[in-house]
Amino acid sequence: IYEDAATWAADKAKLNTPFPNIPYLIDGEKVITETGAMKQYILQKANRLDILGRTDEERVEERLLTGYIDDTARDILFLLHTPTWEAAKEKVINEKTIPRLKKLDDRLAGRKHLTGDNVTLIDFGSYTIFQILKKLDPTAISRHANLTNVINNYENIPELKAYFASERFLGGNIMPPSSVAKI
């Protein structure tokens, strides 16, 4: 974590990549920037490209939901970085987030996970934003039965359940460090 711009500027100049950015991953001589590229690289290294979807339909749905949930996340993250976030919270949640969650909830009918029967990258990627949203409005998720079911299924995957119960899980403060909101 960079505490100041000067430290990042010094390290940025040393990275052997045409696109220096945060976050970045260094694996031997390889430097990878951009979150999506890093995720793809890690999944390739772990031989787990199935996490991107096991079928063409799952892969397309994973990308579609990634874009859709990212739009929702941007609204929430913008709110968290707004000095008057408390005054704007109700409007953002009720006028932007809840209608988007309703559409998502309708799409999730009958699904075990976000894209269907299998866990994909978007299940992992969306979990934090859903937890932040629960902190902002405890009923935002719970009023959507299909979404609640999908989140519960994710939390009950044995390996994740063990991780969430372990000392390694840092789930207490999930707010971005630069967030104005402290919830």
Side-chain angles (χ1 to χ4, degrees), residues 39-85:
K39 290 175 186 176
Q40 178 87 20
Y41 182 77
I42 291 166
L43 291 173
Q44 286 172 300
K45 291 279 286 192
N47 198 27
R48 290 302 311 266
L49 290 177
D50 61 302
I51 298 294
L52 298 173
R54 295 181 185 181
T55 65
D56 288 343
E57 185 176 297
E58 268 188 2
R59 286 186 285 277
V60 169
E61 187 70 3
E62 195 279 332
R63 291 287 79 210
L64 182 146
L65 290 179
T66 295
Y68 188 79
I69 293 170
D70 281 355
D71 289 344
T72 303
R74 267 189 288 284
D75 289 340
I76 297 298
L77 293 173
F78 182 77
L79 172 67
L80 298 176
H81 290 84
T82 302
T84 57
W85 74 273

Side-chain angles (χ1 to χ4, degrees), residues 11-159:
D11 282 357
K12 182 178 181 178
K14 297 175 196 170
L15 289 177
N16 186 21
T17 179
F19 308 111
N21 200 3
I22 299 171
Y24 61 87
L25 179 139
I26 299 175
D27 184 20
E29 296 294 315
K30 189 177 291 285
V31 177
I32 301 166
T33 60
E34 301 305 328
T35 303
M38 289 171 36
K39 290 175 186 176
Q40 178 87 20
Y41 182 77
I42 291 166
L43 291 173
Q44 286 172 300
K45 291 279 286 192
N47 198 27
R48 290 302 311 266
L49 290 177
D50 61 302
I51 298 294
L52 298 173
R54 295 181 185 181
T55 65
D56 288 343
E57 185 176 297
E58 268 188 2
R59 286 186 285 277
V60 169
E61 187 70 3
E62 195 279 332
R63 291 287 79 210
L64 182 146
L65 290 179
T66 295
Y68 188 79
I69 293 170
D70 281 355
D71 289 344
T72 303
R74 267 189 288 284
D75 289 340
I76 297 298
L77 293 173
F78 182 77
L79 172 67
L80 298 176
H81 290 84
T82 302
T84 57
W85 74 273
E86 287 186 86
K89 179 176 87 166
E90 188 173 325
K91 182 176 181 173
V92 169
I93 290 175
N94 290 329
E95 293 180 15
K96 290 185 173 185
T97 307
I98 296 302
R100 292 183 73 76
L101 291 180
K102 168 70 171 103
K103 287 181 182 181
L104 177 61
D105 191 65
D106 291 345
R107 189 159 183 100
L108 297 178
R111 293 186 182 179
K112 184 176 179 183
H113 298 289
L114 286 171
T115 62
D117 289 337
N118 301 305
V119 173
T120 58
L121 194 57
I122 188 57
D123 290 285
F124 295 95
S126 63
Y127 186 73
T128 300
I129 199 65
F130 292 149
Q131 297 312 302
I132 290 171
L133 189 52
K134 282 182 186 180
K135 286 186 174 215
L136 288 170
D137 179 348
T139 68
I141 300 292
S142 66
R143 62 179 109 169
H144 299 94
N146 296 321
L147 179 56
T148 298
N149 185 51
V150 163
I151 293 169
N152 288 340
N153 288 338
Y154 177 83
E155 290 174 334
N156 284 303
I157 294 171
E159 296 85 352

